[in-house]
Amino acid sequence: MSDFMMFSLAPMTVAIIISMTCALLGNFLVLRRQSLISDAISHVALPGIVASFLLTGTIASTAMMLGAGVSALVTVAMIDAIRRFGRVEISAAMGVTFTSLFALGVLLLEVSQASGVHIDVQHALYGNLESLIWFEGVGLSSLVDPAALATLPPQLARVGVVALVVLVFVVVFRRHLILGSFDSEFAASIRARPALVDLLLVTMVAVAAIAAFEAVGSIIVIAMFICPAAAARLMTNHLGKQLAWSQLFALISAVVGYWLAGYGLIALGLDMSLSAAGMIATVAGLILLLTCLWGPQRRGRAVLANA
C-alpha cells in the first residue's frame, strides 16, 4: 500500500484528471470536425517553450507553461486569420500554421543554446508522469494529514484547477456549444455567438493541453482529445450519453494504461516497465479500434474520417 501511495497515486490521479478533461472538450472538437486542432496546439508549443528558455535561461515549469501558452494563443490567432483572410478551409489553415510554428521551434533549437537541454523531448513529447512521486504518502493516513497533503506534486493542483475551469465552461456554455456544434448558422441567427464560443472552446483546449505538457507531454494529450470522444461517438447518437461514454473511456484508458505500463511486463516475468503516457495513449487507441469494429453506431465511422 505504501508503495502505491508514494509512487502511483499522484501520477495515476494526474493521468485520470487530464484524460477526462481532454475527453470532455474532445467531444465538441469531434462534432465540429476540428479534432486535429488539438494536435496542432500540442505540437506548436515547442517554439514557445524554446523562446521561454532563451528569455529566462531556465526550464522551470512556470516559465515553460507561459511560453507554451503564448505559443498556443498565437496558433489560434494564426489559424483564424489564415482561414478568414485566405478564405481556405480550417484544415488547410491548421496545416500551414502547424508546420510553420513547429519548424520555427526546431530552428530555434538548432541555432541556440537550447539544443543542449532536450527541452523538446522532456516538455513537449513524453512529460514526466512517472516522476510525480509523493514522498510523504506512506499510508492511508497521509490522505488526511495536512502536512503530507502539502507535499503533493504541484502538477496535481494545476491540472485539478484546469479541470474545474473546463467543467464550469462546459456547463455554462453547454447550450451554445451544442448549437454551434450542430448548426452554426442557426446559432448565429439566434445570436448565440458561435464564433465567440468557438474561440473560447479552442482557448480551453489550449489551456488543457498546456497544463498537461509538464506532466504527460503531448502524446497522451492528443490521444485523449480524440480517442475517447471518437469512440463515444460510435457508441451513441445522444450527446449526453456520448459525454458519459467519453468520460468512462478516458478513465479506463488512464487506469488500465498506467497499470500496464508499470506492472504489465512484470506480470509476464520481465523486469522492466514502459512509458505511462505512451501506454495510456495506446489503450485509448485500442478502445477506439474496438468501437470502430463493434460499436452500435460504427456505420457512422465516416465521422472519424472527417473529424
Side-chain angles (χ1 to χ4, degrees):
M1 175 60 72
S2 61
D3 287 345
F4 173 79
M5 295 286 292
M6 183 178 297
F7 297 107
S8 298
L9 180 61
M12 184 180 293
T13 303
V14 169
I16 290 172
I17 294 174
I18 289 174
S19 298
M20 297 181 72
T21 302
C22 293
L24 182 60
L25 293 171
N27 285 283
F28 300 102
L29 294 179
V30 168
L31 291 173
R32 293 163 181 254
R33 300 182 179 181
Q34 295 179 354
S35 298
L36 289 181
I37 200 168
S38 61
D39 177 63
I41 291 175
S42 297
H43 281 83
V44 298
L46 180 59
I49 291 173
V50 177
S52 175
F53 172 77
L54 295 177
L55 292 174
T56 63
T58 178
I59 57 174
S61 59
T62 301
M64 292 299 171
M65 289 183 67
L66 287 175
V70 172
S71 183
L73 292 177
V74 170
T75 299
V76 173
M78 285 185 62
I79 291 174
D80 186 65
I82 294 174
R83 181 177 65 86
R84 291 178 181 274
F85 297 108
R87 296 181 180 180
V88 297
E89 294 183 355
I90 190 170
S91 58
M94 286 192 297
V96 172
T97 304
F98 168 78
T99 54
S100 300
L101 291 183
F102 188 76
L104 176 62
V106 174
L107 180 62
L108 288 174
L109 277 175
E110 292 299 322
V111 301
S112 68
Q113 56 182 336
S115 59
V117 298
H118 306 292
I119 58 177
D120 56 325
V121 173
Q122 177 181 352
H123 293 275
L125 294 179
Y126 305 120
N128 61 346
L129 190 61
E130 294 84 353
S131 68
L132 303 182
I133 302 174
W134 184 21
F135 292 101
E136 299 298 325
V138 294
L140 293 176
S141 59
S142 299
L143 296 174
V144 293
D145 183 358
L149 293 174
T151 63
L152 280 167
Q155 292 87 347
L156 180 58
R158 283 198 285 268
V159 298
V161 171
V162 170
L164 180 60
V165 171
V166 169
L167 180 60
V168 171
F169 166 74
V170 172
V171 171
V172 172
F173 291 94
R174 181 176 181 273
R175 176 174 174 271
H176 298 78
L177 287 169
I178 294 174
L179 289 174
S181 297
F182 289 101
D183 194 335
S184 58
E185 293 183 359
F186 174 72
S189 68
I190 62 173
R191 299 182 180 180
R193 298 184 178 180
L196 175 60
V197 174
D198 188 61
L199 178 60
L200 290 175
L201 174 62
V202 175
T203 302
M204 287 294 103
V205 170
V207 170
I210 293 164
F213 280 151
E214 182 187 5
V216 300
S218 64
I219 295 176
I220 185 177
V221 173
I222 299 169
M224 287 301 104
F225 273 121
I226 300 174
C227 292
R233 178 67 184 86
L234 295 177
M235 294 298 295
T236 179
N237 282 326
H238 187 279
L239 180 59
K241 294 180 180 179
Q242 178 181 325
L243 294 175
W245 273 111
S246 70
Q247 294 298 281
L248 177 61
F249 289 149
L251 177 62
I252 293 174
S253 299
V255 175
V256 175
Y258 187 87
W259 186 89
L260 288 176
Y263 308 104
L265 293 181
I266 294 178
L268 295 177
L270 301 176
D271 188 18
M272 61 184 298
S273 60
L274 301 172
S275 166
M279 184 54 67
I280 292 172
T282 300
V283 173
L286 289 175
I287 292 175
L288 176 58
L289 175 61
L290 293 175
T291 57
C292 286
L293 295 175
W294 294 294
Q297 303 297 328
R298 62 187 182 277
R299 292 184 179 178
R301 59 183 177 271
V303 174
L304 304 181
N306 297 323

